[in-house]
Amino acid sequence: MYAALRLQRRLRRREAEVVVISPDPYMTYQPFLPEAAAGSVAPAHVIVPLRRVLPRCQVVVGEARRIDHARRTAYVSTPATRSEGGGDAELRYDEIVLAPGSVSRTLPIPGLAESGIGFKTVEEAVGLRNHVLAQLDIASSTRDVEVRDAALTFVFVGGGFAGVEALGELEDMARYATRYYHNVLPDDMRWVLVEATDRILPEVGEELGRYAVRELRGRNIDVRLETRLARCEKRIAVLSDGARFPTRTVVWTAGVKPHPLVAATDLPRDPHGRLRVTAALRLDGTEHAWAAGDAAAVPDLTAQKPGTECAPNAQHAVRQGRLLADNIIATLRGGEPQEYRHALIGSVASLGLHKGVAHLYGRQVKGYPAWLMHRVYHLSRLPTANRKSRVLADWTLAALFKREIAALGSLENPRAEFELAAGIGRQPDV
């Protein structure tokens, strides 16, 4: 989206046609997903509609299945091709930009595919919020001790930004929600964070990582370092240290991998499956092909150690997208592309409402100031004044009024009520 924004602003009219292919008609600002899950921000406000912000581009809602760069052809599955039962649409191009991002990196853990919950999309964030609140309803309405224990145990696997921030925000939300349940107390819930390495939030540094562990454990959250999920079958999570937790909630945030589209191209890839690009964001040894973001192995020219690649995060991806657009325009006009060079300014992370850690410009900040910096930083990076205003309004209303604690699980199957009325549905499972 950022590359397309730059192209539509700097290209002269009729100089080129920009076509954007995306499975969804919007871009998701992922750093706000934890707040969307906790209800602090409306889910519709963390997405940016592509057709609104890219009026001079042709937006095609569809999924690129394969790229044949030798023929400069992209094979795209669209809602129309699927409904018509035909083959994929063939789109020819002169220059191609590949920025498909990443998907969750799952492991062959028994039961994970069947019961795990991801946390990379706004739909998953909303679904997880509804799921957590539904577990409180189950615990409040059952007399079965085993069912209650499983409903009130929440296991998060992965101690990076996604896992820690999601757990911190949702634990805050659930703790608040229990005041409206006559038979569920905050101490009845069990929150478990499982991390395979010896620390969490490695991006903020070792000292702040240790502080984050102390902060979470101080809230009675069970943080287990150097531990892995062994299996999660029959609503029981078993860890590598032998611990067993009856649970109905296993949230998987243990890393990412390049989007499957990358493997369906004839473009050069590195041993990790990412697209191999030069510092100018051009595919290595390939003309008319460019890449940026999580799916691209971009050399980090600011690193002291040779061979270091840019971290797969939004701070790099946004800047890479803009430079990539500038480089395409430069080559179209007979100029030379510039190399990408950006030193990380630091990282910020939320640990829940009014709690956070930040490591910016070499300075370490904890607690409320860090949480405030987290909000200010990401608000400044959120695209468009429209979305900035809406998120700011959400925060203002959340500060003035009580949290919303209603679960809207029916959103995931909106026809269920009508099907039941028509005699073709069934009562939902619990």
Side-chain angles (χ1 to χ4, degrees):
M1 190 199 72
Y2 280 97
L5 275 172
R6 193 79 150 206
L7 287 170
Q8 78 171 6
R9 289 172 182 168
R10 297 199 170 186
L11 283 170
R12 295 186 289 266
R13 289 192 177 274
R14 299 186 180 180
E15 184 177 8
E17 179 185 11
V18 181
V19 180
V20 179
I21 302 171
S22 171
D24 301 306
Y26 53 81
M27 186 277 284
T28 302
Y29 191 72
Q30 291 186 342
F32 280 154
L33 288 184
E35 294 206 44
S40 300
V41 176
H45 298 167
V46 304
I47 62 173
V48 182
L50 295 180
R51 298 187 192 279
R52 177 179 294 175
V53 299
L54 301 174
R56 293 180 55 194
C57 300
Q58 179 185 347
V59 177
V60 176
V61 176
E63 185 176 354
R65 300 285 194 180
R66 182 166 62 91
I67 305 294
D68 186 350
H69 190 61
R71 297 180 56 211
R72 294 201 205 175
T73 303
Y75 297 86
V76 182
S77 173
T78 68
T81 61
R82 290 191 291 271
S83 65
E84 294 166 2
D88 295 338
E90 296 185 16
L91 300 183
R92 302 297 301 274
Y93 59 83
D94 298 298
E95 305 279 338
I96 187 168
V97 174
L98 284 167
S102 57
V103 297
S104 296
R105 176 176 58 85
T106 58
L107 298 175
I109 296 172
L112 178 61
E114 294 76 18
S115 59
I117 302 173
F119 197 76
K120 278 189 65 66
T121 68
V122 67
E123 293 84 0
E124 288 176 327
V126 174
L128 182 57
R129 169 185 171 80
N130 291 331
H131 174 83
V132 169
L133 290 173
Q135 301 315 300
L136 298 183
D137 290 333
I138 291 172
S140 176
S141 59
T142 184
R143 294 183 179 181
D144 189 314
V145 176
E146 292 184 359
V147 171
R148 178 183 170 90
D149 288 346
L152 294 178
T153 301
F154 307 93
V155 178
F156 285 68
V157 184
F161 281 122
V164 172
E165 291 189 337
L167 184 150
E169 292 285 352
L170 285 165
E171 191 272 343
D172 258 350
M173 178 202 71
R175 179 180 293 272
Y176 175 88
T178 57
R179 67 180 64 183
Y180 298 100
Y181 289 82
H182 70 283
N183 58 350
V184 179
L185 300 175
D187 290 343
D188 293 338
M189 297 185 294
R190 184 166 194 176
W191 296 80
V192 183
L193 177 63
V194 181
E195 168 54 39
T197 66
D198 61 351
R199 58 176 173 164
I200 64 173
L201 298 175
E203 297 87 352
V204 300
E206 187 173 352
E207 182 178 342
L208 287 180
R210 289 196 298 266
Y211 168 82
V213 170
R214 293 195 301 270
E215 167 67 27
L216 294 176
R217 286 175 173 166
R219 291 157 58 182
N220 203 29
I221 295 173
D222 186 356
V223 180
R224 297 187 175 238
L225 304 177
E226 298 183 283
T227 307
R228 292 176 172 82
L229 178 67
R231 60 182 184 274
C232 53
E233 299 173 298
K234 299 179 180 179
R235 293 180 174 171
I236 296 178
V238 181
L239 307 185
S240 60
D241 61 3
R244 297 167 59 90
F245 299 104
T247 181
R248 302 167 62 95
T249 309
V250 176
V251 182
W252 182 265
T253 61
V256 296
K257 63 181 180 181
H259 192 282
L261 172 63
V262 174
T265 71
D266 54 353
L267 298 170
R269 301 186 294 274
D270 71 358
H272 301 289
R274 296 194 294 172
L275 294 164
R276 193 170 67 247
V277 301
T278 67
L281 306 176
R282 174 178 277 164
L283 267 294
D284 193 16
T286 307
E287 296 292 327
H288 310 293
W290 311 77
D294 288 9
V298 181
D300 188 352
L301 301 183
T302 66
Q304 296 180 350
K305 183 179 178 181
T308 302
E309 297 172 350
C310 294
N313 58 34
Q315 191 175 147
H316 280 304
V318 169
R319 291 172 172 82
Q320 289 169 6
R322 291 170 177 160
L323 178 65
L324 185 152
D326 291 341
N327 284 347
I328 290 178
I329 295 173
T331 57
L332 290 177
R333 296 174 181 173
E336 290 295 324
Q338 302 296 312
E339 292 184 332
Y340 176 74
R341 188 185 299 269
H342 171 69
L344 285 173
I345 62 176
S347 300
V348 291
S350 168
L351 302 178
L353 189 63
H354 300 159
K355 299 172 281 290
V357 291
H359 189 183
L360 293 174
Y361 300 106
R363 300 189 62 181
Q364 297 183 348
V365 186
K366 309 171 184 175
Y368 182 85
W371 171 83
L372 187 61
M373 292 171 67
H374 172 271
R375 282 199 162 183
V376 171
Y377 174 80
H378 284 301
L379 184 66
S380 70
R381 295 298 184 268
L382 184 66
T384 79
N386 178 302
R387 283 305 181 264
K388 286 183 172 68
S389 300
R390 290 176 183 273
V391 168
L392 191 59
D394 286 341
W395 286 341
T396 302
L397 292 173
L400 295 175
F401 300 101
K402 297 178 180 180
R403 285 179 183 258
E404 295 291 343
I405 61 167
L408 298 176
S410 58
L411 288 174
E412 298 168 34
N413 186 11
R415 294 193 69 245
E417 187 70 20
F418 184 80
E419 290 174 352
L420 186 64
I424 62 173
R426 60 183 179 85
Q427 293 289 348
D429 295 330
V430 294

